[in-house]
């Protein structure tokens, strides 16, 4: 079984610690947090009730003003409360109440609670503001703390003369005999948005909890606060309720009712579950990051030193730099890499020497093979003319008739010239392949040299009724050895004359418009077989089948051309085109 590495062990330890912490937090959130949250909410209700009681004792009259600084301050703090009596009639903090002043100066408190529930959109579209004239239909709710007009219909007075389709109103008029009608100017407007959605919860609690049970009434009459958890009948949402009795200046007991939703704990728990899922994913990412950190600090240097040792075992001394540290790992790394460097230099020197020896051996083998091939080819080429000379010489010795002696002598002389030409070509090729060969370069025009070569070959061209045509295009001088380039052109032109169809034209193109000077010779005639296009530059190679000697040549001409062009760093190629063959040379300028 493979042993765990340092990185894997550190990863397991870090992951175990995180998983343990994650489980503890999750258990605390599922078991302890709901009770803690509910207890904190109820304690906050009790604390807020005490603060409101102090405010009530200091300014008991201000509690009835919806827009008083005290009430607005409570709304800004998002404190949901109401001041009521034992019957559940709201005395203060009715956000759906507005005050209307009639023409006779009488102020009438009007509750828009019904309209805000039943005709919410129409009421919002009215956009009631202070100073506007309105007409209100409703019923008065008379209690011991005053009367309030519960509105069932409200319309802007300025629109009462308009057509029914254009009247700005909310609610239904119904029969005017069933309602009171009040027309006047708005002094204060309702502000239900200042306490948020929980204001509706206050009135729902007043509707469902009141009248209070005898137990709660008895405790409140004894000035004892009541704390309970209540679930409403609409959505079964849990809420915390705190009722604190307050004694007014007239001796009456008023009830300070505070409500807070405990339903948020479910939403919070749901959000926390999602949060912990993200926390778990984040923890995994953190573990990976810590593993990377561990790897950089501890395990990465050790692994790098181990890799270096493994490479040294395989005689590989190249690679990384030492660990840039000043501790024990850094010292070990410096020592190991210094040893590796020295061994690498020594091994490199041995490899270099070994490669050089191999190259010399290969060169000697190639030279030996070239010599063998050269002598074999030379022997083969010389064997035929020597046999012919010997045969005709023996014929003359045996008493050939006088009429045929001239023919025999002519054949012997012809074969002797061929042997002389072959020996001369072999000597030229050997001199060109010598490391001591030198080039005597000078500026020259290829067109002028071509014309001179054609003058020398005029009689050979006449034998086949050939013509030559030189095409120049922006010709430039080239820097080359005139004698050796003359030999190249002579070989190419002789080769073109030898293989051209009788009566055709040899075309020579000279183009200096490119980066170099391009020289090409094209003759119309039999094309070269595709497999031989790259081999014709070899020594003693002829494209004619069965090495037919009737076409002439020694088989060394193109090999000499190739060597001279390589010495001048010229590119060369041969192609079959236009029912013939084209040789192309490119001279650097």
């Amino acid at each position: 079984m493979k042993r765990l590495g340092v990185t894997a062990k550190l990863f397991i330890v870090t992951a175990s610690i995180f998983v343990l912490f994650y489980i503890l937090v999750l258990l605390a959130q599922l078991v302890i947090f709901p009770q803690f949250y509910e207890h904190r909410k109820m304690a906050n209700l009790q604390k807020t009730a005490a603060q409101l009681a102090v405010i009530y004792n200091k300014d008991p009259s201000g509690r009835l003003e919806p827009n008083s600084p005290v009430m607005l301050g409570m709304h800004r703090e998002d404190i949901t409360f109401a001041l009521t009596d034992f019957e559940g009639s709201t005395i203060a903090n009715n956000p759906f109440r507005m005050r209307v002043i009639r023409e006779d100066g009488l102020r009438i408190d009007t509750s828009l609670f019904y309209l805000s529930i039943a005709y919410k959109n129409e009421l919002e579209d009215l956009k009631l503001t202070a100073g506007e004239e309105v007409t209100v239909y409703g019923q008065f709710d008379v209690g011991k703390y005053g009367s309030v007009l519960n509105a069932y219909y409200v319309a802007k007075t300025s629109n009462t003369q308009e057509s029914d389709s254009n009247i700005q109103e909310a609610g239904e008029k119904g029969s005017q005999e069933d309602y009171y009608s009040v027309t006047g100017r708005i002094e204060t407007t309702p502000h239900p948005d200042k306490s948020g959605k929980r204001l509706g919860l206050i009135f729902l609690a007043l509707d469902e909890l009141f009248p209070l049970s005898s137990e709660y009434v008895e405790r409140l009459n004894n000035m004892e606060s009541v704390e309970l958890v209540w679930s409403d009948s609409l959505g079964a949402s849990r809420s915390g309720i705190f009722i604190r009795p307050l004694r007014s200046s007239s001796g009456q007991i008023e009830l300070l009712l505070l409500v807070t939703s405990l339903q948020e704990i479910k939403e919070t728990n749901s959000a926390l579950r999602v949060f912990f899922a993200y926390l778990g994913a984040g923890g995994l990412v953190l573990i990976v990051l810590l593993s990377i950190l561990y790897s950089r600090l501890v395990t990465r240097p050790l692994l790098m030193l181990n890799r270096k040792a493994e490479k040294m075992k395989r005689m590989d001394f190249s690679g990384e730099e030492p660990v840039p540290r000043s501790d024990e790992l850094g010292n070990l790394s410096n020592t190991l890499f210094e040893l590796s460097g020295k061994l690498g230099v020594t091994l490199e020197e041995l490899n270099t020497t070994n490669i050089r020896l191999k190259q010399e051996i290969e060169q000697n083998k190639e030279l030996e093979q070239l010599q063998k091939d050269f002598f074999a080819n030379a022997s083969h080429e010389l064997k035929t003319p020597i046999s012919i000379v010997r045969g005709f010489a023996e014929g003359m010795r045996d008493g050939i008739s006088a009429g045929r002696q001239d023919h025999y002598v002519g054949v012997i002389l012809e074969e002797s010239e061929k042997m002389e030409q072959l020996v001369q070509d072999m000597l030229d090729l050997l001199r060109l392949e010598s490391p001591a060969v030198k080039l005597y370069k000078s500026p020259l025009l290829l067109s002028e040299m071509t014309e001179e070569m054609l003058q020398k070959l005029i009689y050979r061209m006449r034998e086949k009724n050939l013509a030559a045509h030189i095409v120049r295009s922006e010709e430039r001088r080239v820097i080359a050895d005139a004698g050796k380039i003359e030999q190249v052109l002579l070989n190419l032109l002789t080769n073109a004359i030898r293989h051209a169809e009788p009566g055709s034209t040899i075309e020579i193109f000279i183009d200096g418009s490119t980066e170099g000077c391009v020289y090409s010779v094209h003759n119309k005639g039999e094309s070269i077989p595709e497999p031989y296009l790259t081999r014709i530059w070899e020594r003693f190679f002829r494209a004619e089948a069965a090495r037919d000697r009737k076409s002439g040549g020694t088989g060394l001409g193109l090999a000499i051309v190739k060597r001279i062009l390589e010495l001048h760093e010229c590119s060369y190629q041969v192609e079959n085109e236009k029912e013939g063959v084209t040789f192309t040379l490119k001279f650097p300028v």
Side-chain angles (χ1 to χ4, degrees):
M1 182 177 179
K2 187 177 181 180
R3 299 176 59 185
L4 292 176
V6 178
T7 304
K9 292 179 180 178
L10 290 175
F11 177 81
I12 292 173
V13 171
T14 305
S16 301
I17 294 174
F18 175 79
V19 170
L20 178 61
F21 174 76
Y22 184 79
I23 292 174
L24 291 176
V25 173
L26 191 61
L27 290 176
Q29 185 262 328
L30 295 175
V31 179
I32 301 174
F33 181 73
Q35 299 177 2
F36 168 77
Y37 181 83
E38 184 174 320
H39 174 74
R40 183 176 178 276
K41 293 282 284 186
M42 298 303 294
N44 190 46
L45 276 182
Q46 186 175 358
K47 180 181 177 181
T48 304
Q51 293 175 349
L52 289 174
V54 173
I55 295 173
Y56 173 83
N57 292 330
K58 288 183 180 179
D59 186 16
S61 61
R63 72 191 188 283
L64 299 176
E65 297 295 334
N67 289 331
S68 66
V70 175
M71 300 298 291
L72 293 176
M74 294 300 100
H75 290 307
R76 282 194 299 269
E77 294 296 328
D78 198 23
I79 298 174
T80 306
F81 74 99
L83 191 61
T84 183
D85 55 17
F86 282 95
E87 285 77 23
S89 298
T90 306
I91 301 171
N93 198 28
N94 184 348
F96 305 101
R97 181 182 298 177
M98 73 174 180
R99 181 168 294 168
V100 179
I101 303 177
R102 297 195 313 190
E103 291 183 357
D104 57 5
L106 180 63
R107 289 176 169 81
I108 299 176
D109 289 333
T110 304
S111 177
L112 304 178
F113 178 70
Y114 169 74
L115 293 175
S116 67
I117 299 299
Y119 299 94
K120 179 181 178 182
N121 295 332
E122 291 85 347
L123 184 62
E124 291 178 351
D125 293 339
L126 281 178
K127 299 179 181 179
L128 299 174
T129 57
E132 289 185 319
E133 294 287 337
V134 293
T135 297
V136 182
Y137 293 91
Q139 292 181 344
F140 278 101
D141 182 13
V142 181
K144 54 186 174 183
Y145 295 100
S147 60
V148 177
L149 178 63
N150 293 316
Y152 298 109
Y153 172 83
V154 62
K156 291 186 178 181
T157 304
S158 58
N159 294 326
T160 56
Q161 303 301 324
E162 299 180 6
S163 62
D164 292 342
S165 60
N166 295 326
I167 292 178
Q168 289 183 294
E169 60 183 358
E172 296 182 1
K173 288 184 180 181
S175 176
Q176 296 185 12
E177 298 176 356
D178 299 334
Y179 301 102
Y180 292 98
S181 175
V182 175
T183 301
R185 179 174 51 84
I186 298 175
E187 182 181 25
T188 60
T189 56
H191 50 90
D193 294 336
K194 293 179 180 176
S195 296
K197 298 180 179 178
R198 296 178 184 174
L199 287 170
L201 195 60
I202 283 282
F203 289 91
L204 189 60
L206 288 171
D207 183 62
E208 294 190 4
L209 291 178
F210 287 82
L212 297 170
S213 65
S214 58
E215 179 186 355
Y216 291 157
V217 172
E218 182 179 356
R219 290 176 59 183
L220 292 171
N221 282 326
N222 293 331
M223 302 303 290
E224 296 179 6
S225 299
V226 175
E227 179 180 315
L228 64 130
V229 176
W230 163 70
S231 297
D232 65 78
S233 60
L234 296 179
S237 299
R238 298 175 70 253
S239 302
I241 294 180
F242 189 83
I243 306 175
R244 177 166 179 155
L246 301 174
R247 193 174 296 279
S248 66
S249 58
S250 62
Q252 298 290 336
I253 296 178
E254 298 176 351
L255 303 179
L256 183 61
L257 176 67
L258 293 92
V259 180
T260 184
S261 175
L262 299 178
Q263 189 67 19
E264 296 176 359
I265 184 61
K266 293 184 178 180
E267 299 172 358
T268 305
N269 274 338
S270 177
L272 283 175
R273 290 188 184 96
V274 178
F275 170 74
F276 280 121
Y278 285 112
L279 182 63
L284 292 177
V285 174
L286 178 62
I287 292 173
V288 173
L289 293 177
L290 288 176
S291 300
I292 295 174
L293 179 62
Y294 291 151
S295 176
R296 289 183 177 275
L297 293 178
V298 180
T299 60
R300 184 179 179 183
L302 292 176
L303 293 175
M304 187 174 68
L305 293 176
N306 184 62
R307 287 196 303 269
K308 187 63 179 178
E310 291 290 336
K311 291 174 67 176
M312 292 175 63
K313 184 175 69 174
R314 298 190 300 269
M315 304 302 291
D316 182 3
F317 303 101
S318 61
E320 307 137 352
E321 295 293 329
V323 179
R325 296 173 63 162
S326 58
D327 53 12
E328 290 78 2
L329 285 175
N331 294 334
L332 176 60
S333 174
N334 292 331
T335 303
L336 182 63
F337 276 82
E338 184 179 354
L339 174 62
S340 175
K342 291 181 178 179
L343 291 175
V345 171
T346 303
L347 184 62
E348 186 67 26
E349 292 176 353
L350 291 175
N351 288 335
T352 302
T353 304
N354 187 38
I355 292 173
R356 187 166 58 249
L357 290 174
K358 287 182 178 179
Q359 290 176 347
E360 292 178 357
I361 293 173
E362 291 295 330
Q363 290 175 356
N364 291 334
K365 288 182 178 180
E366 291 178 0
L367 181 60
E368 183 179 355
Q369 185 63 38
L370 287 175
Q371 290 175 348
K372 290 180 179 179
D373 293 342
F374 180 81
F375 286 118
N377 292 327
S379 300
H380 181 82
E381 293 295 330
L382 290 173
K383 180 179 180 181
T384 300
I386 290 175
S387 299
I388 294 174
V389 171
R390 180 179 177 179
F392 277 89
E394 289 178 350
M396 292 178 66
R397 185 191 62 184
D398 293 340
I400 300 299
S401 62
R404 297 184 59 84
Q405 287 184 353
D406 293 338
H407 170 69
Y408 280 31
V409 170
V411 171
I412 293 173
L413 291 175
E414 182 181 352
E415 294 300 322
S416 299
E417 290 175 359
K418 290 181 180 180
M419 287 189 288
E420 181 182 6
Q421 183 63 42
L422 177 61
V423 172
Q424 184 62 42
D425 287 345
M426 287 190 292
L427 293 176
D428 290 343
L429 187 58
L430 288 175
R431 282 194 295 267
L432 291 172
E433 291 180 345
S434 172
V437 65
K438 293 183 180 181
L439 299 178
Y440 300 94
K441 295 183 179 182
S442 62
L444 55 91
L445 286 173
L446 295 176
S447 60
E448 294 180 356
M449 186 174 292
T450 302
E451 292 175 351
E452 293 177 1
M453 295 299 103
L454 290 174
Q455 289 297 325
K456 294 180 179 180
L457 299 171
I458 187 67
Y459 294 107
R460 292 190 182 183
M461 295 175 63
R462 287 178 179 175
E463 290 176 359
K464 299 181 69 174
N465 194 23
L466 299 176
H469 179 58
I470 301 175
V471 180
R472 304 175 182 85
S473 176
E474 300 181 15
E475 182 183 6
R476 291 183 287 181
R477 293 182 181 272
V478 298
I479 308 299
D481 188 312
K484 291 182 172 53
I485 296 300
E486 181 178 331
Q487 190 174 2
V488 169
L489 300 186
L490 183 61
N491 271 287
L492 292 179
L493 293 173
T494 302
N495 191 68
I497 293 171
R498 183 181 299 122
H499 297 283
E501 290 183 357
S504 62
T505 300
I506 298 174
E507 297 177 340
I508 299 117
F509 299 91
I510 304 174
D511 186 4
S513 59
T514 59
E515 295 181 357
C517 184
V518 178
Y519 183 90
S520 60
V521 178
H522 173 77
N523 67 273
K524 188 176 181 181
E526 186 179 354
S527 61
I528 301 174
E530 290 295 329
Y532 297 159
L533 287 176
T534 57
R535 298 192 58 194
I536 60 173
W537 306 97
E538 298 176 6
R539 303 175 185 183
F540 300 109
F541 180 82
R542 290 188 179 92
E544 298 85 359
R547 298 179 61 87
D548 187 4
R549 293 174 51 86
K550 294 181 179 180
S551 61
T554 63
L556 295 175
L558 291 180
I560 294 173
V561 169
K562 174 186 175 183
R563 181 57 184 162
I564 293 175
L565 293 176
E566 289 175 348
L567 291 174
H568 284 82
E569 298 180 354
C570 298
S571 60
Y572 52 90
Q573 66 176 3
V574 59
E575 298 174 294
N576 292 321
E577 58 180 24
K578 295 182 181 179
E579 300 179 354
V581 179
T582 300
F583 285 82
T584 303
L585 315 178
K586 185 174 181 180
F587 293 85
V589 178

